[in-house]
């Protein structure tokens, strides 16, 4: 005789039973607070940039008012380009920032690779030197660097600024690239040696293509360091035709007041190349910085 066992049937939940909240769900109050926080933070971040942009489109008589859309004009931009040495400042900044970026990326990448892969006398001392140089503020370094550049005849020369900016960017970027190269398997270097590549050939042909995120961060940091720096540019460069953009902006401010129209217009034009570089490198920035921090 066969015995049939009844299978219990799940009964539907009673009407009005409490619904189990899934992990990660937020209450309406928490969601509202989060969105309000994001909106307030976004407004705080965008407000100064928007204020500068709108001020650059106002006539001088409305520069210090909130009449942003009254008599909108591009006169500040045309006067800036026509009546000042802005184009010369822009060209000087492009040269200095471009050279600082290219040389900074090459030196930082080769230094980081050497420290990551090879053992050599003075390696620990080099790493400590790269670290210690980051601890000195600009106010302490500007006088000795000025004296060195004066002795070498590099004052009022783009090369002097390039060398100075490299002393700022290379130590940090070399440390970051060292940490990034540590995450790349050494088996790739060994495969290059098996194929007959020299150490530099392995670095250039096999390792660098894998290090694009780190290179993007290095290029971005080197460019921003040279593009927006003020203290060294103001101290080392004199004469309107030799100034960079950061030094040229100070021409619009004196002890009697400020020329808000041309200064805000120049600020907008200065921000455009930096924004373009950021857009170009943004997809690699998070990956490069996080990877470089793993074993830095």
């Amino acid at each position: 005789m066969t015995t049939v066992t009844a299978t219990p049937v799940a009964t539907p939940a009673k009407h009005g039973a409490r619904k189990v909240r899934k992990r990660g769900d937020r209450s309406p109050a928490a969601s509202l607070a989060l969105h309000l926080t994001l909106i307030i933070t976004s407004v705080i971040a965008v407000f100064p940039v928007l204020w500068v942009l709108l001020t650059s489109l106002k006539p001088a008589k409305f520069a210090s008012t909130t009449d942003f859309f009254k008599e909108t004009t591009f006169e500040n931009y045309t006067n800036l380009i026509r009546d000042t040495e802005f184009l010369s400042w822009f060209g000087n900044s492009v040269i200095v920032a471009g050279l600082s970026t290219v040389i900074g990326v090459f030196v930082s990448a080769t230094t980081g690779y050497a420290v990551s892969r090879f053992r050599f006398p003075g390696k620990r001392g080099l790493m400590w030197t790269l670290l210690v140089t980051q601890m000195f503020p600009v106010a302490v370094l500007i006088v000795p660097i000025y004296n060195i550049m004066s002795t070498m005849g590099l004052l009022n020369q783009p090369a002097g600024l390039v060398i100075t900016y490299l002393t700022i960017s290379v130590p940090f970027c070399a440390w970051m690239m060292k940490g990034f190269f540590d995450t790349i398997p050494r088996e790739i270097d060994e495969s290059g040696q098996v194929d007959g590549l020299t150490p530099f050939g392995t670095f250039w042909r096999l390792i660098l293509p894998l290090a694009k995120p780190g290179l993007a961060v290095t290029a971005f940091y080197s460019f921003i360091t040279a593009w927006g720096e003020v203290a060294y540019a103001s101290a080392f460069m004199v004469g309107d035709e030799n100034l960079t953009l950061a030094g040229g902006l100070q021409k619009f401010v004196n002890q009697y007041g400020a020329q808000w129209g041309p200064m805000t217009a120049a600020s907008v034009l200065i921000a455009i190349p930096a924004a373009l570089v950021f857009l170009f490198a943004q997809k690699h920035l998070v990956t490069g910085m996080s990877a470089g921090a793993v074993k830095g």
Side-chain angles (χ1 to χ4, degrees):
M1 183 176 180
T2 304
T3 303
V4 179
T5 304
T7 303
V9 179
T11 58
K14 293 182 178 180
H15 180 71
R18 172 179 261 177
K19 185 179 180 180
V20 179
R21 183 182 300 169
K22 294 181 180 181
R23 186 178 181 181
D25 289 350
R26 290 188 295 268
S27 66
S31 180
L32 178 61
L34 176 62
H35 284 80
L36 286 176
T37 302
L38 293 175
I39 292 173
I40 294 173
T41 304
S42 300
V43 170
I44 294 174
V46 173
F47 177 75
V49 179
L50 185 60
W51 184 285
V52 171
L53 176 60
L54 294 177
T55 302
S56 70
L57 298 174
K58 295 191 300 183
K61 58 183 178 181
F62 298 126
S64 58
T65 68
T66 57
D67 297 325
F68 292 113
F69 301 102
K70 190 173 183 179
E71 299 184 22
T72 301
T73 178
F74 288 95
E75 183 179 353
N76 291 322
Y77 292 90
T78 56
N79 291 341
L80 174 70
I81 296 175
R82 184 182 65 241
D83 300 334
T84 69
E85 296 290 338
F86 179 81
L87 294 180
S88 297
W89 305 340
F90 192 91
N92 294 336
S93 291
V94 169
I95 294 173
V96 171
L99 290 175
S100 299
T101 301
V102 173
I103 299 174
V105 169
F106 180 78
V107 174
S108 299
T110 52
T111 303
Y113 181 75
V115 173
S116 173
R117 290 297 196 263
F118 304 118
R119 296 178 180 272
F120 52 87
K123 175 181 176 180
R124 183 176 296 273
L126 174 61
M127 296 178 66
W128 274 106
T129 300
L130 294 176
L131 182 62
V132 170
T133 54
Q134 299 298 297
M135 301 179 182
F136 295 96
V138 173
V140 175
L141 295 175
I142 192 168
V143 173
I145 293 179
Y146 181 93
N147 291 332
I148 294 173
M149 294 300 168
S150 178
T151 303
M152 299 176 63
L154 293 176
L155 288 180
N156 223 27
Q157 298 291 332
L161 277 184
V162 171
I163 294 173
T164 302
Y165 293 149
L166 291 176
T167 64
I168 300 174
S169 62
V170 167
F172 169 79
C173 293
W175 260 100
M176 184 191 64
M177 291 302 299
K178 186 263 183 189
F180 190 87
F181 287 131
D182 286 344
T183 65
I184 299 178
R186 293 178 179 267
E187 287 77 7
I188 297 179
D189 300 70
E190 296 172 358
S191 66
Q193 295 174 3
V194 171
D195 292 337
L197 293 176
T198 62
F200 184 80
T202 301
F203 163 75
W204 187 260
R205 299 180 62 179
L206 300 181
I207 303 300
L208 274 189
L210 301 176
K212 288 182 179 179
L215 296 176
V217 176
T218 299
F220 179 73
Y221 182 80
S222 300
F223 179 84
I224 293 300
T225 298
W227 188 256
E229 199 279 329
V230 177
Y232 292 116
S234 301
F236 295 174
M237 309 295 283
V238 295
D240 285 355
E241 70 281 359
N242 297 320
L243 293 177
T244 59
L245 289 170
L249 277 180
Q250 299 185 50
K251 294 292 183 178
F252 303 121
V253 182
N254 54 47
Q255 59 181 336
Y256 303 106
Q259 303 176 47
W260 294 110
M263 185 166 63
T264 53
S267 299
V268 172
L269 295 178
I270 291 172
I272 292 175
L276 293 177
V277 172
F278 174 79
L279 291 175
F280 175 77
Q282 66 172 342
K283 64 179 180 180
H284 298 301
L285 289 179
V286 175
T287 303
M289 294 190 71
S290 58
V294 172
K295 294 185 180 181

